[in-house]
Amino acid sequence: MALVITWCFGPMVLHPNSYYLEGGGDGIRNYYSVAYYAKYDSGLQFTGMNYPYSEHVLYVDIQYPLALLLSFIQQYFFDVSEYTVGVVNYVMMVSLLLSAIFIYLLLQQLKVKDWFAIPAAIAITILTPQLQRLTGHYSLAYTFFVPLLLYMIYRLLQSDHKWKWTTLMILMITFFGFTHLYYLAQAGSFILSFAVVWLAYEWIFLRRISKQMLFLSATIVVPFAVIEGLLSISDPVVDRMGIPYGFFNSYATLESVFHPPSWSYIRNFDWLGIVSKTQQGYAYVGIVPTIAIVLAIAVMLIFLIRRAFFHKLIPFVSPFLLAAAVASIPVLIFSMCLPWRWFPEWLDHFNFIRQFRALDRFAYLFYYVISIFSAWLIFMLVNYLFHRKALVAGWLISVFVFFLWFADGWSNLLTIKNSYPNSNYAKEFFAEDNFTGWMAEKGYEPGDFQAILPLPFYHLGSEKLWLEHPISMYSSTWASLNTGLPIISSYMNRTSLQQTIHLVQLMADTLIEKDYLKGLKSDKPFLVVTSQETKTAFEEWLLGKATYINERGPYRIFLLPVKAFEVSMDSVRNKYANRSTELIQRSDGIYTNNGDTASIVSRYATKDTFTDMVIQSDSGTLLLFDEMIPSGKDSSGYDISVWVKLYLRNYASPDMHVYQLDEKGNTISRQFVQTKSTANLLDGWARINIPIVLYNPKNKIKVELNCAEETISACRFMIRPLHTEVYDSLNSKGEFVYNNFKMLPE
C-alpha cells in the first residue's frame, strides 16, 4: 500500500508543503483554518473568520484534534504553522495506509489467508468513494475510520476484556466526532442498526440475549453525550440554520452505488452491458462486490429452495459478517434519502434528520462492509475450489477478481493523482515577500488594522445568504494567515443567521444603515484586500473611499477607515423636506425629480408601515406584474425592485424572474436574481432588484418570484426609470421611501 501511495502522491510525498490537493474553495479554506488555528488560536473558538464574532471549532472543518495538537506544538516547542499544509497532506496519505492495515487485520480475523487478504485490503482502500473527499473535505478523508470501527466492533464481540475494547471505542469515536460530526453520526447509525440485528440473531439462533450490546451501546452513547454536552455549554450561538440545503439533493442512489462512474476503466467492458455514468451521491462499491452480492443472493435462494438456509448456510457464515452486512442495509437505505423522498411529510415529525445535508456519506459504511464481506465470500469460494483440487479454477477466479477490482480502484486513484500536480503553489502562503512585506514597504504593519475586508465580499455558511468569490477568498485567507488579522467574511458551516445578516449587510447600498458597525469595539481601519473579480457598485464606491497601500500581481491592498461606511443622507432628506418646491407630485402622492411620472409602478405599499401590505404564496410562484409598463419608452432603462421576507427556518429563498415578451407573447429576454445574493437587508426583509432595457414600449413585462421550498412573502414592488428618483411619504414620524428604500428622519 505504501508503494501505491508513493505512486499516486509521488511529488507530494517528497514535498508535502508545496502542494494543495485542492487549490481553491473548500480545500484552501480547510488548509487555512488548520494553519490559522495552529498559529494564532487555542481553545474552542476559531477567530480567523466571521470577525468580530469568531466561530466554534466544530463548525469550521478544522480537524480539531489535529489542529489542537499543532497549536500545542506551536505554543510550547517551535513554529509549526508553515508545515501545516504538509501535515494535513500526510495525515490523508497515512490514512489510506491505515485503512488497508485495518481491513487486512479484520480479514485476517475472519480467517482469510494473507495471499488474498493483502491485495483485497489494498483494492478496497483505493476504490473507496471516500477517496473523493481528498479534493477538499479533508476532515472527511480519514478513510480508515470505518475499517477501524468494524475491526473494533469485531474485537469487542470476540474479546473477554469487554471494558478494554469498549473504552478504546469510546475514545476512538469521540476523537473522530471532534474531527467531524459526521463520523459521530455514521458510527451511531451503524452501531444502532448492528445492535438491533445482533440482538435478533442471538434471539433467533442462540435463544439468548447477551450483555454485549450494552457495551456496544456505550461506545456511541458516551461520545455523543460528551460532544453534545460540550457544544451545549461552549457554543453561544442559538440561531444556526435548522434546515440546511442538501437533504433532498446529495443522496446515494442504486445507480450511484452500483454503476461505474465515468472515469472507471470498467466503462470499456461493453460486453458486460455496463453503461458508464457519473452520478451525484457518488458511493460506487465496485464491480466485484456487485458480482459478489448477486452470487450471495443466488446462494441464499438455492439454500432456501433446499430448505437448508437456517441449519446449513447461516451457521457457515461469520455471525459478525452476517450482522454487519444486514445492518449496513438500513444505513444504505437512509443514505438514499428513503423513505423521506417518498413521504416528505414525515419529516415534520423527524425534523432533526434534515441536519444531514449530504446523506450519501452514510453509504461509505455500506461500501466497506459489503467490500469486506465480498472479499471473505470470494475467498471462501476459492478456498472451497482448492480443497476440491480445482486449483486452476481457483487461481483463475482469483486473478480475474483482482483484475476487475484493481481496474476499478486504479481509475478511482487516478482522479486524485491527476488533480493536484498543478496546485504546487502552497508555499506562497508562507513566502517572505507577501502581505506583511508589502505593507512594511509603505510604513504599515498588521497592528495598524483590526481586520481584513475582502473585496469582492464573500460569505458562505449560513445557507440563507450565499455570496461566493473564490479568488477573493484565496487572497484574504493568504493575507490573514500572514498578518494574523481575522477576516470579516465567513466561509464556514451553519454560521449564526443574525451574525450573517449583520456581516452581509455591511455591503448593502449606502441607503441602508450598517448594523454591523454597532458591534465593533475598535476604531482601527480595515485592511482591504482586493482581487480582480467583478465588484458591486457599492464595493467600487468603498474603494474610492480607501487609501491605496500596495499591490502584487492581481492583488491590491488598501486602508479603509470605519467611518467610510457612515454616509450622509442629508441631500435626499432635504429634497424630500422641500418636495413641494423641488419635486413633481403624481396624483397618488408619489414625488419624482423629473416629469417622468407616468411609467412608475408602485404596488403592495401602504402609507403607514414600510412592510405592512404583504402578499403571499405557498404554491411556489408569486406573480408580481404581467403587463406593459405605462408610458414605457423605447430602449429606456428601468429598475425593477421588490422586498421579500427572509424566513430563517430553512435555507430556501425566492428568486425573482423578469421576462420581456413581444406582442405575440414570445419571450425575448429573461433575467433573474437570487435573494441569497443580495446584501440589501433590513428588519428581516431583503431588497432584490433587476435593471432592464425595454426594447419596445409595446412589450409586456412579467415579473414573478419562485421558491418551491418556502412561503413567498413580498411587499413594496416598484418599477421606475433608471434616472428617475422616486419619493413616497410613509407615516407621520417623518419616515419616507426613496427609490424603494426606507428612509428615516434625521
Side-chain angles (χ1 to χ4, degrees):
M1 188 65 209
L3 293 176
V4 173
I5 292 172
T6 303
W7 171 83
C8 181
F9 301 98
M12 189 178 291
V13 172
L14 299 176
H15 307 286
N17 289 294
S18 298
Y19 290 88
Y20 293 128
L21 279 165
E22 169 58 45
D26 290 343
I28 289 295
R29 185 277 309 269
N30 291 335
Y31 281 120
Y32 157 76
S33 59
V34 174
Y36 189 94
Y37 183 91
K39 193 170 184 177
Y40 302 110
D41 280 337
S42 60
L44 293 170
Q45 288 293 310
F46 173 73
T47 64
M49 289 181 167
N50 206 43
Y51 176 83
Y53 310 111
S54 73
E55 183 56 282
H56 197 284
V57 291
L58 294 187
Y59 292 97
V60 190
D61 269 359
I62 202 174
Q63 304 180 63
Y64 182 55
L66 175 63
L68 190 63
L69 173 62
L70 293 174
S71 177
F72 178 79
I73 296 172
Q74 175 79 18
Q75 291 182 48
Y76 297 104
F77 294 98
F78 59 90
D79 185 2
V80 73
S81 60
E82 63 182 288
Y83 304 110
T84 52
V85 171
V87 171
V88 170
N89 288 339
Y90 257 107
V91 164
M92 289 184 284
M93 289 187 282
V94 171
S95 177
L96 291 170
L97 178 62
L98 292 175
S99 178
I101 289 173
F102 285 115
I103 293 171
Y104 162 74
L105 290 175
L106 181 54
L107 288 173
Q108 194 180 53
Q109 292 288 323
L110 296 170
K111 311 303 180 186
V112 178
K113 299 295 184 183
D114 285 358
W115 68 266
F116 195 95
I118 292 173
I122 295 173
I124 294 169
T125 297
I126 65 176
L127 182 55
T128 172
Q130 205 173 351
L131 198 67
Q132 299 303 315
R133 300 299 98 198
L134 269 69
T135 58
H137 300 155
Y138 308 136
S139 56
L140 288 168
Y142 287 67
T143 56
F144 71 96
F145 168 68
V146 176
L148 177 58
L149 177 68
L150 296 173
Y151 176 75
M152 296 185 83
I153 292 175
Y154 181 85
R155 294 303 302 269
L156 172 62
L157 296 177
Q158 299 297 316
S159 176
D160 294 329
H161 305 287
K162 304 295 185 188
W163 282 110
K164 168 189 171 182
W165 286 101
T166 300
T167 302
L168 289 174
M169 281 190 68
I170 288 173
L171 293 174
M172 184 272 289
I173 294 174
T174 302
F175 172 88
F176 277 99
F178 278 116
T179 299
H180 200 292
L181 292 174
Y182 260 97
Y183 290 123
L184 185 66
Q186 289 173 338
S189 63
F190 182 75
I191 288 173
L192 174 63
S193 183
F194 185 91
V196 171
V197 173
W198 188 265
L199 289 173
Y201 170 82
E202 287 189 327
W203 177 254
I204 295 172
F205 296 102
L206 305 180
R207 296 299 177 184
R208 63 176 173 83
I209 297 294
S210 68
K211 298 179 180 179
Q212 294 188 101
M213 291 306 100
L214 292 177
F215 289 97
L216 189 60
S217 299
T219 65
I220 191 61
V221 171
V222 174
F224 180 84
V226 169
I227 294 173
E228 184 63 26
L230 183 63
L231 272 174
S232 65
I233 63 175
S234 62
D235 181 20
V237 176
V238 296
D239 63 340
R240 300 189 188 277
M241 177 56 67
I243 304 178
Y245 173 81
F247 186 83
F248 286 112
N249 299 85
S250 298
Y251 54 81
T253 63
L254 288 175
E255 194 171 23
S256 71
V257 172
F258 295 108
H259 258 263
S262 59
W263 59 77
S264 175
Y265 286 141
I266 302 300
R267 70 185 187 275
N268 295 321
F269 287 79
D270 296 333
W271 55 275
L272 288 173
I274 296 173
V275 179
S276 118
K277 187 174 182 180
T278 303
Q279 176 75 19
Q280 186 181 21
Y282 173 68
Y284 178 52
V285 298
I287 192 66
V288 171
T290 301
I291 294 172
I293 291 171
V294 174
L295 177 64
I297 293 173
V299 170
M300 285 191 294
L301 290 175
I302 291 171
F303 274 81
L304 279 171
I305 292 171
R306 294 180 178 178
R307 298 183 179 180
F309 181 79
F310 290 101
H311 66 277
K312 285 189 177 181
L313 181 60
I314 294 298
F316 170 74
V317 181
S318 160
F320 167 78
L321 268 184
L322 179 64
V326 175
S328 70
I329 295 174
V331 179
L332 176 66
I333 292 172
F334 178 69
S335 77
M336 293 179 172
C337 198
L338 297 175
W340 320 111
R341 278 191 288 151
W342 297 338
F343 306 103
E345 64 275 9
W346 290 4
L347 286 171
D348 294 338
H349 306 289
F350 301 95
N351 215 24
F352 69 94
I353 292 177
R354 296 195 67 172
Q355 287 292 318
F356 302 115
R357 59 179 298 166
L359 294 177
D360 53 310
R361 295 169 183 172
F362 288 88
Y364 299 160
L365 290 148
F366 178 79
Y367 168 80
Y368 283 108
V369 170
I370 211 63
S371 296
I372 292 169
F373 180 86
S374 300
W376 174 86
L377 179 64
I378 294 169
F379 173 76
M380 289 295 107
L381 172 61
V382 171
N383 201 42
Y384 170 78
L385 293 174
F386 284 171
H387 279 87
R388 300 284 294 183
K389 306 300 181 183
L391 299 180
V392 174
W395 283 114
L396 284 175
I397 289 175
S398 299
V399 170
F400 181 66
V401 162
F402 283 120
F403 171 73
L404 291 178
W405 222 335
F406 276 96
D408 251 351
W410 212 251
S411 53
N412 191 41
L413 206 60
L414 279 174
T415 63
I416 305 301
K417 179 178 173 59
N418 296 331
S419 68
Y420 71 86
N422 293 327
S423 300
N424 59 344
Y425 47 87
K427 284 194 173 181
E428 182 179 62
F429 260 57
F430 308 99
E432 293 183 5
D433 182 24
N434 49 29
F435 289 87
T436 303
W438 307 343
M439 293 163 61
E441 290 177 7
K442 303 298 182 179
Y444 294 97
E445 58 184 32
D448 297 331
F449 304 87
Q450 62 172 308
I452 292 170
L453 175 64
L455 294 181
F457 190 83
Y458 62 88
H459 194 290
L460 286 84
S462 72
E463 308 282 336
K464 198 66 186 178
L465 300 169
W466 192 278
L467 309 179
E468 187 170 11
H469 294 284
I471 299 176
S472 183
M473 190 273 291
Y474 177 86
S475 60
S476 63
T477 52
W478 180 14
S480 173
L481 187 59
N482 180 238
T483 62
L485 292 170
I487 305 170
I488 294 176
S489 293
S490 174
Y491 194 121
M492 296 183 287
N493 303 312
R494 315 288 175 85
T495 50
S496 161
L497 291 165
Q498 199 56 52
Q499 292 173 11
T500 294
I501 290 171
H502 287 166
L503 287 168
V504 173
Q505 191 200 49
L506 190 61
M507 294 295 110
D509 192 281
T510 56
L511 298 171
I512 294 180
E513 185 178 0
K514 312 299 188 290
D515 294 332
Y516 172 84
L517 302 177
K518 301 174 184 176
L520 293 178
K521 298 179 180 179
S522 171
D523 58 359
K524 287 184 178 181
F526 299 126
L527 177 67
V528 176
V529 178
T530 71
S531 68
Q532 292 181 331
E533 293 172 287
T534 302
K535 301 169 186 64
T536 66
F538 178 77
E539 289 169 343
E540 293 287 2
W541 179 86
L542 270 183
L543 286 178
K545 299 282 185 177
T547 301
Y548 170 80
I549 297 178
N550 212 334
E551 65 184 282
R552 286 293 189 281
Y555 308 118
R556 306 170 73 195
I557 52 178
F558 299 80
L559 180 151
L560 182 69
V562 175
K563 289 186 177 180
F565 291 94
E566 299 175 4
V567 182
S568 173
M569 294 295 133
D570 289 345
S571 62
V572 174
R573 292 191 180 101
N574 289 337
K575 272 191 179 182
Y576 180 71
N578 301 316
R579 56 190 176 276
S580 61
T581 57
E582 294 190 25
L583 301 175
I584 300 172
Q585 186 177 16
R586 205 168 70 166
S587 59
D588 58 358
I590 288 178
Y591 291 85
T592 69
N593 65 329
N594 56 40
D596 193 0
T597 61
S599 56
I600 296 171
V601 177
S602 178
R603 295 182 180 175
Y604 320 120
T606 65
K607 297 289 186 179
D608 185 16
T609 305
F610 186 68
T611 56
D612 196 34
M613 187 175 181
V614 178
I615 56 171
Q616 289 186 331
S617 172
D618 290 312
S619 67
T621 300
L622 178 61
L623 184 64
L624 300 175
F625 189 77
D626 189 15
E627 54 193 88
M628 293 186 296
I629 295 178
S631 303
K633 297 179 181 179
D634 190 17
S635 301
S636 294
Y638 293 85
D639 182 72
I640 300 176
S641 62
V642 68
W643 287 84
V644 297
K645 180 69 175 177
L646 276 182
Y647 291 106
L648 302 183
R649 54 199 174 204
N650 77 17
Y651 67 91
S653 295
D655 301 333
M656 181 167 74
H657 295 256
V658 177
Y659 304 88
Q660 190 167 168
L661 300 91
D662 62 19
E663 295 177 81
K664 296 181 179 179
N666 300 314
T667 301
I668 57 176
S669 72
R670 172 183 173 272
Q671 297 169 258
F672 82 99
V673 64
Q674 295 179 308
T675 302
K676 286 180 177 293
S677 64
T678 186
N680 292 322
L681 310 171
L682 182 68
D683 299 333
W685 291 77
R687 182 186 186 273
I688 52 178
N689 72 293
I690 294 179
I692 68 164
V693 174
L694 185 63
Y695 301 118
N696 188 317
K698 295 182 179 180
N699 287 346
K700 181 187 289 186
I701 302 299
K702 180 180 179 181
V703 184
E704 63 183 23
L705 297 173
N706 294 326
C707 184
E709 299 88 353
E710 181 57 277
T711 298
I712 305 173
S713 298
C715 70
R716 295 278 167 185
F717 175 76
M718 178 178 285
I719 300 177
R720 67 177 181 87
L722 280 175
H723 301 294
T724 298
E725 298 176 8
V726 178
Y727 299 76
D728 192 9
S729 60
L730 195 55
N731 52 43
S732 59
K733 300 176 185 177
E735 297 176 348
F736 64 98
V737 179
Y738 170 69
N739 288 350
N740 213 11
F741 285 94
K742 180 181 178 180
M743 302 297 297
L744 301 175
E746 190 173 359

